[in-house]
Amino acid sequence: RRIGSGSTAWTPTRAGKLGGVAVIGPTPGLVWVHSVGGCIAADEIRGVGDLLSPKQMGRSVLRLDLRGHGLSATAHEPARGSEQYVWTELAKDLRIASKASLSRAFFAGEGSGAAVALRAAAAAAGSGSLDAPPGLVLVRPIAALLAGADNHGAGSMGASCESMAEAAERGGWDAVEALEDSSAGGGPALDGGAILSYGSAAAAGSGDELRRGLREIRRRELSADVFAAALRGHAASGLKLGELQALGQERHVSMADDAYGVPLILQCPVLILAVQGDPEGDLLAAQQLAVALQDAELDVASDGAEAARTWPGKISAFLRKAWMKEFLAKRVMPQ
């Protein structure tokens, strides 16, 4: 069975404990993770398949459902509660899935999925692991990404997530949607549910129609109890600026010396994509990340239509450049 109504037919696959969809091509591939509360099915109606066109990128693309979500529903472990949904644990899932499916891969994610991809890349690069990605793509990063783990103040992300989690446990999806629609709810707890869709989905109906479609998919692909646990794990997560240093620093990969015995010196280039006025992403967070990550590239689209039109080419060009940089580093002749 294949998934996708666009030009790309995505094949369901298993990767470690996670489920996903993939198109197999040359390596290194790209591994993508959605935001908390999202899923591959929701990404389909938002046009993420167009954004991540394997044909344009000319490489394998693996899109994963986070544990408990969609095709990864069976990966949820009730006894572990919210602990399994903190970014560090989801990052471990990503790395295991990547290594199980691809010999080498770039990491990428959207919203809180960008935080997971960033965590995974920083952990791999910091430990000198051979699965450290040759590049990282962060799409619409969230404000909480650099807020640290203390997110429980009034009006903070932690308080908002807790209110939503309590609603999910108390009254299921009906209560969640009622809270989303109220002024106290802070808007939809949906990945991309406000303004942004990509590619062929960009002209598909109004924002209200997209939101209704995303809600229907969310009810089908994610249980309210798992959603509550995922929200609490998300709220308990954080990332300090100091933890990002490994991405910008040159690192010696002693276990991967070239044919002349010259140690490889690698880095992890980063592409950050944001949208001006995005109610779900955060431009300031994107700008702060671009400063914190040495030599990171930041591209800000004026709106969702421009993002849909330009980002596929920007992502493809970035991946080619990042891989060529590593390819040439591996072929430095000894002096």
Side-chain angles (χ1 to χ4, degrees):
R1 184 172 65 91
R2 292 177 179 264
I3 295 174
S5 56
S7 59
T8 302
W10 298 87
T11 302
T13 187
R14 299 299 300 179
K17 292 183 177 181
L18 303 183
V21 296
V23 172
I24 301 302
T27 59
L30 176 77
V31 180
W32 169 273
V33 286
H34 58 75
S35 192
V36 168
C39 64
I40 290 168
D43 278 355
E44 274 304 307
I45 69 168
R46 295 179 52 236
V48 169
D50 295 318
L51 184 70
L52 303 176
S53 170
K55 182 177 181 181
Q56 183 165 355
M57 292 185 191
R59 65 186 69 253
S60 297
V61 179
L62 171 64
R63 294 161 51 196
L64 295 170
D65 268 335
L66 296 175
R67 65 166 53 227
H69 297 62
L71 299 173
S72 300
T74 57
H76 175 69
E77 300 175 54
R80 292 182 64 192
S82 63
E83 176 270 336
Q84 65 194 298
Y85 292 102
V86 297
W87 296 343
T88 51
E89 294 302 307
L90 295 177
K92 292 176 185 177
D93 288 343
L94 187 161
R95 292 179 64 188
I96 291 170
S98 177
K99 287 187 285 188
S101 300
L102 300 169
S103 59
R104 193 78 192 286
F106 297 92
F107 295 167
E110 181 182 25
S112 56
V116 173
L118 180 56
R119 265 290 188 186
S127 64
S129 174
L130 294 178
D131 76 316
L136 177 65
V137 180
L138 306 176
V139 178
R140 303 168 63 211
I142 55 175
L145 203 157
L146 295 176
D150 184 15
N151 295 316
H152 296 283
S156 70
M157 180 195 76
S160 177
C161 285
E162 182 58 32
S163 296
M164 198 67 70
E166 289 176 355
E169 291 175 330
R170 180 180 66 253
W173 289 120
D174 288 343
V176 168
E177 291 171 7
L179 183 57
E180 287 175 331
D181 292 339
S182 72
S183 59
L190 286 165
D191 183 15
I195 64 168
L196 284 177
S197 54
Y198 306 105
S200 60
S206 68
D208 287 342
E209 289 172 333
L210 176 61
R211 184 177 176 181
R212 283 195 296 272
L214 290 171
R215 280 182 166 181
E216 289 174 3
I217 291 171
R218 186 175 61 177
R219 283 175 176 257
R220 184 181 73 236
E221 300 289 328
L222 180 65
S223 78
D225 287 342
V226 169
F227 184 57
L231 285 171
R232 290 191 172 111
H234 174 57
S237 301
L239 188 67
K240 305 296 185 183
L241 287 174
E243 297 177 87
L244 307 180
Q245 292 178 350
L247 294 176
Q249 293 175 341
E250 293 184 341
R251 65 185 188 278
H252 293 263
V253 186
S254 58
M255 294 297 292
D257 293 355
D258 70 8
Y260 300 95
V262 178
L264 295 183
I265 301 176
L266 304 178
Q267 289 178 291
C268 181
V270 182
L271 173 64
I272 303 170
L273 300 172
V275 176
Q276 188 74 41
D278 187 347
E280 296 170 317
D282 188 274
L283 182 55
L284 179 58
Q287 293 168 334
Q288 289 175 332
L289 275 175
V291 172
L293 297 167
Q294 299 177 27
D295 299 322
E297 298 179 31
L298 172 63
D299 183 85
V300 182
S302 60
D303 54 27
E306 182 182 331
R309 185 175 64 254
T310 63
W311 282 0
K314 290 181 184 296
I315 294 172
S316 180
F318 168 79
L319 298 182
R320 287 196 302 270
K321 183 172 68 174
W323 182 237
M324 182 57 65
K325 182 177 181 180
E326 180 168 312
F327 180 82
L328 293 175
K330 291 179 178 179
R331 280 149 181 79
V332 173
M333 296 288 289
Q335 303 299 314

